[in-house]
Amino acid sequence: DQQVKQNSPSLSVQEGRISILNCDYTNSMFDYFLWYKKYPAEGPTFLISISSIKDKNEDGRFTVFLNKSAKHLSLHIVPSQPGDSAVYFCAASARTGSQGNLIFGKGTKLSVKP
Amino acid sequence: DGGITQSPKYLFRKEGQNVTLSCEQNLNHDAMYWYRQDPGQGLRLIYYSQIVNDFQKGDIAEGYSVSREKKESFPLTVTSAQKNPTAFYLCASKSGGLPETQYFGPGTRLLVL
């Protein structure tokens, strides 16, 4: 039973346009959410996070939006660059009762075409 | 240079053999984690350790063992009981308390001969 779902296995975007990656979760106890970027044969690198007390967090070209009522978050990348081509993982954590362990989605492969 | 190192980058296992994957961090992080990634799958938690000399099973601990004798080190042994060990193994660490951001090593690819 997947608690964190990334329903789009892949996404293709033109360079300079916006990339929107989506993530849904089922556990209402999740209160901290993260996005990681991963290149093939490398470890994931942390991109951006958001606490459930916020609905938006921005860092440069990356913005994460959280809709708690819909149990949905999204990562916006503007403008998209070819170097952004990678697999993006959404992860969630419940700070109480789970020792802060992360639950990961299956990832979305983003391709940014020049 | 602070970070997490994993070795080797590639590891080959013969049938019936135990192999050990190394994970070292110099970030002074309290917690360390081992994940397994299979093609098209997310990261699945094998074992984790919040403090030295203590560790807990994750979602897929069968066929694996760990130790945490030092804060900096969290080696993972893939035993012969693990029937499908071919995967990409990732080690992560995080500081104690909030936030829950984990930082990952470069990974080890394990292949069965």
Side-chain angles (χ1 to χ4, degrees):
Chain A
D1 182 29
Q2 273 188 276
Q3 296 187 68
V4 177
K5 299 179 185 179
Q6 295 178 255
N7 291 318
S8 298
S10 63
L11 175 68
S12 184
V13 170
Q14 205 68 33
E15 181 180 5
R17 306 293 283 267
I18 184 171
S19 295
I20 300 176
L21 296 98
N22 293 304
C23 179
D24 297 294
Y25 61 96
T26 58
N27 188 341
S28 57
M29 298 299 291
F30 287 150
D31 56 8
Y32 190 70
F33 304 89
L34 307 90
W35 284 95
Y36 286 86
K37 174 181 178 179
K38 185 181 181 301
Y39 293 117
E42 293 185 12
T45 54
F46 169 69
L47 261 182
I48 192 168
S49 62
I50 188 167
S51 163
S52 60
I53 61 173
K54 293 185 173 182
D55 54 17
K56 177 182 174 181
N57 189 27
E58 229 173 316
D59 184 2
R61 295 186 298 116
F62 302 93
T63 303
V64 56
F65 295 93
L66 176 62
N67 182 335
K68 283 182 291 184
S69 61
K71 294 191 179 68
H72 177 83
L73 65 155
S74 60
L75 174 68
H76 292 210
I77 306 174
V78 184
S80 302
Q81 300 173 354
D84 296 329
S85 297
V87 176
Y88 289 78
F89 289 100
C90 169
S93 168
R95 291 179 180 176
T96 55
S98 72
Q99 303 187 50
N101 290 349
L102 297 180
I103 308 297
F104 286 84
K106 293 188 176 184
T108 296
K109 183 176 182 180
L110 173 66
S111 299
V112 180
K113 301 190 182 305
Chain B
D1 222 40
I4 304 173
T5 57
Q6 291 186 242
S7 61
K9 190 166 179 66
Y10 296 96
L11 187 57
F12 298 91
R13 193 191 92 163
K14 296 179 182 178
E15 292 288 338
Q17 187 182 42
N18 292 354
V19 292
T20 297
L21 285 62
S22 167
C23 178
E24 304 276 332
Q25 54 98 1
N26 61 3
L27 301 166
N28 200 33
H29 283 172
D30 293 308
M32 297 185 75
Y33 304 81
W34 274 106
Y35 293 90
R36 168 180 172 141
Q37 187 193 13
D38 294 284
Q41 299 293 318
L43 280 62
R44 293 185 291 166
L45 183 63
I46 304 173
Y47 267 99
Y48 63 101
S49 167
Q50 302 282 354
I51 56 172
V52 176
N53 291 322
D54 187 50
F55 48 83
Q56 308 292 332
K57 291 183 179 180
D59 301 318
I60 54 166
E62 187 175 348
Y64 300 96
S65 66
V66 293
S67 63
R68 186 87 188 277
E69 297 175 4
K70 297 187 299 182
K71 188 175 185 178
E72 305 78 25
S73 178
F74 190 39
L76 174 74
T77 296
V78 184
T79 74
S80 56
Q82 173 49 244
K83 297 307 177 190
N84 186 21
T86 297
F88 191 53
Y89 290 87
L90 289 157
C91 179
S93 70
K94 80 171 183 77
S95 58
L98 303 177
E100 285 76 23
T101 305
Q102 295 181 18
Y103 295 91
F104 285 83
T108 293
R109 170 77 61 187
L110 176 61
L111 298 164
V112 176
L113 294 178

